[in-house]
């Protein structure tokens, strides 16, 4: 919930200790803004002076994040949308342009894991394969396909896509998710090559303490060198940094935000 320090490590409205250059006054679309990393990112960008579109298939949750931002003096609107539907992406862009006249930052954060059935290569069924690939990979592509023309027209913009360490480390029974997140890395590099006037980067988080982890009784922190889970606020801070002028020379980059996991052999 907004206001809870549990998932972000600090309460909403508690100002960050430093700000990122060049973010203030811009406008962002943040998908997955109802929960976890997306919610923390919407809040963090707002704290940086960015006007935010909180987009999520969970419209009530998106509305709650929006109200929290507004309550703290920020500017936000909520859009209920499904990232797998191109028509809803167009509607989201239209609403963003109607409200703010521009989109400077696209945060492709919405995502799912397959919790509805087995996820090994043989037993995974086609329906669940497509559900995860559509949400985690196609949704990211559709976001860029929809918003990049606007950014190219303005000659500026920044995109941050969320991959996962599951894309680059062998994890058991995350077949569709790992494949989708690997695709996000490839897609990020392709897009960065194709559109040099827009910066396009990705983050590959380790295990972050958000509702996506569900009730599974596994200590995922053992993968990290830093012996804990990451927080959504920490990932949100990296999203803000990648969008900022401080990262003006970074594009096509995939940042492992993983408590040191990628340093381990
Ligand atoms: N938490 C982790 O350990 C972790 C690690 C690596 C990567 N990630 C990635 O980070 C991103 C955010 O995940 P989170 O941990 O904050 O999880 P979360 O479950 O807290 O948030 C995911 C959000 O995405 C939204 N969403 C799902 N399907 C959607 C759709 N079709 N259209 C629009 N919105 C949709 C959900 O409603 C939810 O608000 C995901 O892409 C996830 O794969 C998470």
């Amino acid at each position: 919930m907004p206001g809870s320090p549990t998932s972000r490590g600090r309460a909403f409205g508690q100002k960050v200790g430093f700000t990122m250059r060049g973010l203030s006054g811009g406008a962002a679309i943040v998908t997955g803004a109802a929960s976890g990393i997306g919610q923390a990112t919407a809040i963090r960008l707002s704290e940086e002076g960015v006007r935010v579109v909180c987009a999520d298939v969970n419209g009530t949750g998106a509305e709650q994040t929006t109200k929290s931002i507004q309550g703290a003096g920020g500017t936000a609107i909520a859009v209920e949308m499904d990232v797998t539907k191109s028509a809803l992406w167009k509607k989201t862009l239209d609403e963003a342009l109607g409200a703010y006249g521009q989109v400077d930052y696209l945060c492709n954060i919405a995502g799912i894991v397959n919790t509805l059935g087995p996820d090994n290569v043989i037993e995974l069924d086609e329906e669940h394969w497509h559900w995860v690939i559509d949400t985690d990979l196609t949704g990211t592509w559709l976001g860029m396909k929809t918003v990049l023309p606007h950014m190219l027209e303005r000659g500026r913009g920044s995109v941050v896509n969320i991959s996962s360490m599951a894309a680059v480390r062998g994890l058991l029974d995350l077949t569709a998710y790992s494949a989708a997140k690997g695709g996000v890395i490839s897609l990020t590099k392709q897009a960065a090559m194709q559109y040099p006037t827009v910066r396009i980067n990705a983050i590959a988080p380790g295990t972050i303490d958000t509702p996506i982890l569900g009730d599974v009784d596994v200590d995922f922190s053992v993968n990290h060198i830093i012996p804990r889970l990451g927080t959504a606020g920490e990932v949100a801070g990296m999203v803000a940094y990648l969008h900022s002028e401080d990262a003006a020379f970074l594009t096509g980059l995939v940042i492992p935000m993983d408590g040191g996991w990628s340093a381990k052999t």
Side-chain angles (χ1 to χ4, degrees):
M1 285 293 294
S4 160
T6 53
S7 67
R8 301 192 310 278
R10 64 189 168 79
F12 176 61
Q14 179 188 336
K15 293 292 177 196
V16 291
F18 55 92
T19 54
M20 304 292 181
R21 281 193 306 145
L23 284 170
S24 188
I29 295 175
V30 182
T31 71
S35 177
I37 295 168
Q39 181 188 65
T41 297
I43 291 168
R44 174 63 192 265
L45 289 176
S46 166
E47 290 171 350
E48 297 281 350
V50 175
R51 296 163 290 167
V52 181
V53 175
C54 298
D56 204 291
V57 74
N58 173 359
T60 307
E63 195 64 54
Q64 280 171 354
T65 303
T66 298
K67 287 208 172 86
S68 294
I69 289 172
Q70 291 168 342
T75 303
I77 60 169
V79 177
E80 183 175 327
M81 64 89 79
D82 179 341
V83 293
T84 69
K85 309 280 188 239
S86 58
L88 296 180
W89 265 111
K90 290 192 180 69
K91 175 174 171 278
T92 303
L93 177 62
D94 285 347
E95 295 208 20
L97 295 179
Y100 307 135
Q102 66 194 68
V103 176
D104 303 272
Y105 313 117
L106 172 62
C107 313
N108 277 315
I109 298 177
I112 53 166
V113 291
N114 175 20
T115 49
L116 299 181
D119 210 28
N120 62 72
V121 168
I122 293 174
E123 292 177 295
L124 172 63
D125 63 46
E126 288 183 47
E127 182 191 348
H128 293 134
W129 166 266
H130 288 299
W131 179 48
V132 174
I133 296 288
D134 284 357
T135 306
D136 293 356
L137 179 56
T138 309
T140 299
W141 168 61
L142 285 176
M144 291 198 286
K145 180 177 170 61
T146 307
V147 178
L148 278 173
H150 165 72
M151 291 179 167
L152 294 172
E153 199 178 323
R154 296 182 71 223
R156 55 162 292 152
S158 168
V159 178
V160 175
N161 299 323
I162 300 295
S163 177
S164 169
M165 282 299 290
V168 290
R169 279 284 194 265
L171 290 177
L172 262 181
D173 294 344
L174 278 174
T175 303
Y177 184 78
S178 298
K181 293 299 187 178
V184 169
I185 290 176
S186 305
L187 189 58
T188 299
K189 292 181 180 179
Q190 270 295 305
M193 291 284 293
Q194 291 166 19
Y195 309 109
T197 53
V198 173
R199 294 187 305 102
I200 303 170
N201 294 291
I203 300 169
T207 307
I208 309 301
D209 187 9
T210 75
I212 207 171
L213 300 184
D215 297 326
V216 185
D217 190 21
V218 177
D219 180 11
F220 294 107
S221 69
V222 294
N223 291 322
H224 305 156
I225 293 175
I226 298 170
R228 63 170 174 82
L229 302 182
T231 70
E234 287 167 333
V235 183
M238 181 57 73
V239 178
Y241 168 71
L242 287 172
H243 282 319
S244 77
E245 290 301 318
D246 291 320
F249 200 48
L250 298 183
T251 196
L253 184 67
V254 180
I255 295 190
M257 189 142 190
D258 61 356
W261 188 357
S262 52
K264 292 165 82 171
T265 52

